[in-house]
Amino acid sequence: MPARMRHVRAIAVVMGATSLALAVSVPAQATTHHGRGVERSVLPAGDGWASADGSTTGGADATPEHVYTVTNRAELIAAFADAGDAPKIVRIAGTVHGNSDAAGTPIGCEAYQQDGYTLEKYLAAYDPAVWGTDEVPAGPLEDARAASAKLQAAAVNVNVPSNTTIVGVGRDATVIGASLQVKNVSNVIVRNISFEDTYDCFPQWDPTDGDQGAWNSEYDNLVVYGSSHVWVDHNTFSDGDRPDADQPSYFGQIYQQHDGLFDIVRGADLVTVSWNVLKDHDKTMLIGNSDGAGATDRGKLRVTLHHNLFKDVKERAPRVRFGQVDSYNNHFVATTGAAYGYTYGIGAESKLVAESNAFTLGSGFDKAKILKKWSESSLTAGNNYVNGRKTDLIAVHNAGVPAEQLTAGAGWTPTLRTEVSHPLVVPLLVGLGAGAGKPLVR
């Protein structure tokens, strides 16, 4: 089909031909084992890096005794312990709270406080007017904060074994305040879950962080750490009812209780992230978390991002170090200019390919800030559309930020892609299909 005809067809779809869009642009459906529906779905062949070197099947081969329905944190951990590394399907029903007692009842931060810690005492001890600005906190109140944080970490961090499918039941499966740790394992699928508000009760004040100091917190909603063959599909990630903008400020800085939404780090490899919503957050996604991690990360961190919605996130969508990252057919929406930092962060030895994406930016946004150069690395960025117009992201960045020139050419060409849609269609497709609670047909 001539390029002009493809363009006209894409515009027709955007103007209302929804059925045509779904007919021509929806990628291949996931296949199932044993004919038992989406809970036994496996990653389709050719669907991103997680389909390389074998595939990602999660718990598709689970025997009946290794299929679990869980309604609280204790049941979730028990299911993982019972099955071990055997193939397993863990069904999340309703809302699972990370910060909860043995019966699943939510608990507050005071339940973790140790050795006399309270926020009021901590603020009094480390107020810059008392403590100064040249050293990080130390002494009894910092020790008490660290002990309290350790106790919370034991509840919040939930380790996921190999050969696991975690899938939400229905449209309202939710995990609040827990951090799923896919750490040093393989063959994991996570689908159809809303992850919300994985918050740190005990952020540490660091007066030496930046020019004015900062509150530093732990915990991401989901972490893929040193693991391979991971498929994360049709989930929603957010801060839930605790957005950063609503938090108080202490010592002139927001009391930051959230870290990232979803990070892929420390030698993780062969990951596909598809049809998710990541919204209303600051530090969204790291792929590679340190310039000094080359020993573990070089040759790894191969990640595909497609058909995801990144809505009103400040930065790191994603920030990339070392990895061969393929980002295509994603929709990036930014409505609040004051909160926007950048979308793609170009970090140490990164090899990012960002193609056929759509950007919807409100008035007052600077397109030059879509890309952010952190280190000397090249990228490929073609056929991207900003507010409906084809835009050379590299050229726009270099013209707008002349002190941080980027060069074109990531040095590799992605081949593991489902059908690539025209960027003008992407907002419609992603709006219809991305996030938890949507039909798991892709």
Side-chain angles (χ1 to χ4, degrees):
M1 180 184 294
R4 181 177 180 276
M5 291 300 294
R6 288 198 300 270
H7 185 67
V8 170
R9 184 182 186 186
I11 293 174
V13 172
V14 174
M15 294 302 291
T18 302
S19 60
L20 175 60
L22 293 174
V24 301
S25 298
V26 171
Q29 294 185 358
T31 56
T32 60
H33 279 199
H34 302 172
R36 297 184 191 176
V38 297
E39 292 175 359
R40 294 186 183 272
S41 294
V42 303
L43 180 67
D47 191 350
W49 276 116
S51 68
D53 300 339
S55 188
T56 300
T57 60
D61 290 323
T63 55
E65 64 269 22
H66 287 153
V67 178
Y68 309 84
T69 299
V70 303
T71 61
N72 59 47
R73 174 183 167 275
E75 291 174 351
L76 178 63
I77 293 172
F80 290 153
D82 181 66
D85 286 337
K88 73 196 74 61
I89 296 170
V90 179
R91 307 166 76 244
I92 303 287
T95 299
V96 171
H97 289 272
N99 295 287
S100 60
D101 61 20
T105 303
I107 59 176
C109 292
E110 64 278 0
Y112 301 115
Q113 291 177 352
Q114 299 290 297
D115 303 329
Y117 174 91
T118 67
L119 178 58
E120 292 74 18
K121 291 179 182 178
Y122 191 83
L123 293 174
Y126 301 113
D127 187 316
V130 175
W131 180 255
T133 59
D134 296 330
E135 297 181 14
V136 297
L141 260 299
E142 171 57 23
D143 292 344
R145 185 207 63 81
S148 304
K150 183 177 180 180
L151 191 61
Q152 188 195 13
V156 169
N157 291 326
V158 177
N159 293 315
V160 180
S162 294
N163 306 313
T164 299
T165 292
I166 310 170
V167 59
V169 177
R171 295 186 175 185
D172 63 352
T174 306
V175 174
I176 298 178
S179 178
L180 261 62
Q181 303 277 313
V182 183
K183 187 172 182 179
N184 298 325
V185 296
S186 64
N187 195 30
V188 173
I189 295 172
V190 182
R191 304 186 81 194
N192 195 42
I193 300 169
S194 289
F195 291 95
E196 298 181 4
D197 192 19
T198 305
Y199 62 92
D200 187 345
C201 288
F202 308 102
Q204 181 186 36
W205 170 247
D206 183 354
T208 70
D209 188 345
D211 295 333
Q212 299 176 325
W215 291 96
N216 294 315
S217 59
E218 298 292 335
Y219 315 127
D220 303 325
N221 291 355
L222 177 63
V223 180
V224 179
Y225 180 120
S227 298
S228 65
H229 284 108
V230 179
W231 181 30
V232 179
D233 177 72
H234 277 95
N235 303 287
T236 297
F237 299 86
S238 76
D239 292 339
D241 294 332
R242 194 194 301 261
D244 290 339
D246 290 350
Q247 300 312 302
S249 291
Y250 301 119
F251 309 151
Q253 300 297 310
I254 289 179
Y255 188 61
Q256 177 61 263
Q257 290 190 275
H258 300 113
D259 192 14
L261 281 181
F262 172 18
D263 286 355
I264 302 168
V265 297
R266 298 295 176 180
D269 198 22
L270 303 178
V271 179
T272 295
V273 180
S274 56
W275 298 98
N276 301 282
V277 173
L278 302 95
K279 63 180 182 178
D280 304 325
H281 191 78
D282 183 349
K283 304 170 186 177
T284 308
M285 175 183 287
L286 287 177
I287 300 178
N289 65 342
S290 171
D291 289 1
T296 58
D297 290 354
R298 277 190 196 93
K300 303 289 184 66
L301 297 177
R302 291 175 290 177
V303 179
T304 298
L305 306 170
H306 73 81
H307 295 93
N308 302 288
L309 171 63
F310 292 84
K311 184 177 185 295
D312 288 332
V313 297
K314 182 176 180 180
E315 59 186 324
R316 303 181 183 179
R319 179 174 175 180
V320 183
R321 296 176 173 93
F322 298 103
Q324 285 182 289
V325 175
D326 181 21
S327 176
Y328 74 93
N329 276 180
N330 300 289
H331 187 201
F332 301 90
V333 178
T335 61
T336 308
Y340 180 72
Y342 64 89
T343 297
Y344 291 111
I346 315 305
E349 299 181 40
S350 60
K351 301 175 182 66
L352 171 67
V353 176
E355 295 179 326
S356 299
N357 298 290
F359 296 80
T360 301
L361 306 182
S363 61
F365 281 80
D366 185 354
K367 293 184 289 186
K369 293 183 178 180
I370 289 174
L371 303 178
K372 169 64 178 175
K373 180 179 178 179
W374 292 102
S375 299
E376 191 62 50
S377 296
S378 299
L379 73 154
T380 299
N383 198 39
N384 295 292
Y385 277 63
V386 180
N387 292 342
R389 294 192 175 189
K390 190 173 183 178
T391 303
D392 185 333
L393 299 183
I394 297 175
V396 167
H397 172 273
N398 288 346
V401 193
E404 298 179 4
Q405 296 292 290
L406 288 164
T407 56
W412 68 288
T413 300
T415 58
L416 296 168
R417 290 178 171 179
T418 54
E419 182 175 349
V420 180
S421 303
H422 193 287
L424 289 175
V425 181
V426 166
L428 176 64
L429 289 176
V430 170
L432 288 171
K438 300 296 180 66
L440 296 182
V441 297
R442 299 172 177 87

